[in-house]
Structures are given as structure tokens and as C-alpha cells.
């Protein structure tokens, strides 16, 4: 335990602890004292790295976005069909939810709904992430239609919006109903619809 902890910086320990609490308990109800107690990092040390709870939130949002974008980017560069890339993209956006009990079903939805309007920077970053995902899906749809791997009659912008919003809805409903098959059924439905 000591070796593991010493190989991770206090800053990273705090980030991991706060991320877990914000995503599974909620940003508003998590106190800095609770982060201190669970991370076993002093309050002084935490405030050295993060000047406020909101600054800590921004670091978590940045980390989440970076992690998802890296995984999505790897998928987009793989040599596979467009339908296979679309399915992999769906799974990337859904797979963490099988392991982590996010309050709102999706880490971004959880953080967005848990932050007040005064946390406009965090909300803007989350919005930008989803705008980028819409662009990624639109590009995949266009590429799939050009390669004749997807139906040529798809309205690209509207279909991309349907896909991204359906994924988010499925994540929330999977959480709310405790039915993991909702997300799986969505993947299968889109695979059929896009042909």
C-alpha cells in the first residue's frame, strides 16, 4: 500500500478521490473535508494544488474529456468498417457505466447537472465535448455513406444528434431502471437502422 501510494502524487490522489465522490455521490453534496478524510491528503496540500472545489471540478472534467477523446481517437484510426467504428464508439461512451455507479448514468451528465450555473466553465467544457462528439458521429456517418457501408438516405446532422442523445438517454435510463439491456438494445437497434 505504501509503495502504491508513494508512486502516485498527492495531487493525483486528490483528483481520483474527488472524481469518485463527485461522480458517485454528487458535486454539491461532497465537501472538501470529505475529500481530505478519504484521500488522507491534508487540506493545505489539497488547496496548494486546487484553489477551490470548482477548480478541482474543472480538473476532473478535463481528465474525463481527455480520457474519452483518447479512446475515441484510437478507435477512429483503426482499420475497421464504419459500422464497426460506430459500435465501438457507442461502447466507449457506455462501458465505464458498467463498472462505476455514476449518479446520473453518465459522468458528463452527472457533473453537468450537479454543478450550478455559476460553474459556467465546467458546463462549457462539457458542452464542447458533446459538440465534438456530434461532429465525430457526423463524420463517421458521411464516411459510411461514401463507402456505401451505411444507408445513403440518412440526414447526417439529425442522425448524429439522434445517436448522441439516444446514448445519453440510454445511460440515464439504464441507471434509473437498473436495466443494462437498454444500452445493449440501443447498439443493436442503431446497427439495424443505419444499414
Amino acid at each position: 500500500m505504501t509503495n502504491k501510494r508513494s508512486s502516485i502524487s498527492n495531487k493525483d490522489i486528490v483528483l481520483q478521490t474527488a472524481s469518485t465522490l463527485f461522480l458517485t455521490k454528487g458535486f454539491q453534496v461532497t465537501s472538501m473535508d470529505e475529500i481530505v478524510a478519504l484521500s488522507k491528503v491534508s487540506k493545505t496540500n489539497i488547496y496548494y494544488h486546487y484553489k477551490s472545489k470548482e477548480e478541482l471540478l474543472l480538473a476532473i472534467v478535463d481528465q474525463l474529456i481527455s480520457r474519452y477523446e483518447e479512446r475515441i481517437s484510437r478507435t477512429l484510426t483503426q482499420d475497421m468498417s464504419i459500422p464497426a467504428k460506430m459500435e465501438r464508439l457507442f461502447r466507449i461512451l457506455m462501458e465505464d457505466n458498467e463498472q462505476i455507479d455514476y449518479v446520473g448514468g453518465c459522468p458528463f451528465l452527472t457533473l453537468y447537472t450537479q454543478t450550478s450555473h455559476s460553474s459556467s466553465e465546467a458546463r462549457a467544457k462539457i458542452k464542447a465535448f458533446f459538440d465534438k462528439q456530434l461532429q465525430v458521429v457526423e463524420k463517421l456517418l458521411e464516411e459510411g455513406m461514401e463507402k456505401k457501408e451505411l444507408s445513403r438516405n440518412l440526414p447526417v446532422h439529425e442522425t448524429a444528434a439522434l445517436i448522441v442523445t439516444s446514448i445519453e438517454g440510454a445511460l440515464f435510463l439504464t441507471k434509473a431502471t437498473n436495466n443494462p439491456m437498454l444500452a445493449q438494445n440501443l447498439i443493436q437497434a442503431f446497427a439495424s437502422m443505419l444499414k
Side-chain angles (χ1 to χ4, degrees):
M1 169 103 178
T2 305
N3 289 340
K4 183 179 179 185
R5 184 175 164 103
S6 65
S7 66
I8 301 173
S9 71
N10 281 343
K11 183 177 181 179
D12 289 336
I13 291 168
V14 169
L15 193 63
Q16 288 173 0
T17 303
S19 181
T20 299
L21 289 169
F22 290 177
L23 292 168
T24 60
K25 183 177 176 185
F27 173 77
Q28 295 293 343
V29 297
T30 299
S31 69
M32 290 301 276
D33 288 336
E34 190 172 8
I35 295 168
V36 168
L38 287 174
S39 69
K40 298 184 179 17
V41 175
S42 73
K43 191 179 274 192
T44 305
N45 198 318
I46 290 173
Y47 280 112
Y48 173 79
H49 295 293
Y50 304 102
K51 305 301 177 220
S52 66
K53 189 170 145 182
E54 287 73 22
E55 191 174 304
L56 187 52
L57 170 69
L58 290 173
I60 291 166
V61 169
D62 288 342
Q63 182 184 58
L64 279 169
I65 289 171
S66 176
R67 189 175 78 219
Y68 277 90
E69 286 181 346
E70 179 184 314
R71 290 158 62 191
I72 290 166
S73 179
R74 266 197 317 262
T75 296
L76 295 176
T77 60
Q78 289 179 350
D79 184 25
M80 60 176 70
S81 71
I82 297 302
K85 285 182 182 183
M86 294 288 285
E87 181 176 341
R88 183 66 194 124
L89 179 64
F90 296 162
R91 292 194 187 284
I92 287 169
L93 296 172
M94 294 179 175
E95 65 191 6
D96 284 352
N97 294 37
E98 296 168 3
Q99 301 160 2
I100 302 171
D101 189 23
Y102 298 123
V103 172
C106 161
F108 298 104
L109 182 62
T110 297
L111 293 175
Y112 191 89
T113 58
Q114 291 283 319
T115 57
S116 66
H117 292 289
S118 63
S119 299
S120 59
E121 190 175 352
R123 287 175 161 243
K125 287 177 181 227
I126 293 169
K127 179 191 177 304
F129 171 77
F130 281 115
D131 287 345
K132 188 170 183 180
Q133 298 327 301
L134 282 167
Q135 292 171 359
V136 165
V137 174
E138 285 177 4
K139 183 179 174 198
L140 283 174
L141 291 169
E142 289 169 349
E143 190 177 332
M145 291 187 314
E146 285 174 21
K147 292 181 174 183
K148 298 181 181 170
E149 295 178 3
L150 300 176
S151 170
R152 299 197 73 155
N153 300 325
L154 295 173
V156 173
H157 180 72
E158 293 82 357
T159 304
L162 175 67
I163 289 169
V164 173
T165 58
S166 294
I167 290 169
E168 287 307 304
L171 292 173
F172 175 75
L173 288 174
T174 296
K175 168 74 174 169
T177 64
N178 197 26
N179 180 358
M181 287 309 296
L182 285 173
Q184 190 61 37
N185 292 342
L186 179 69
I187 292 170
Q188 293 170 357
F190 275 124
S192 296
M193 284 176 37
L194 296 174
K195 289 182 183 177

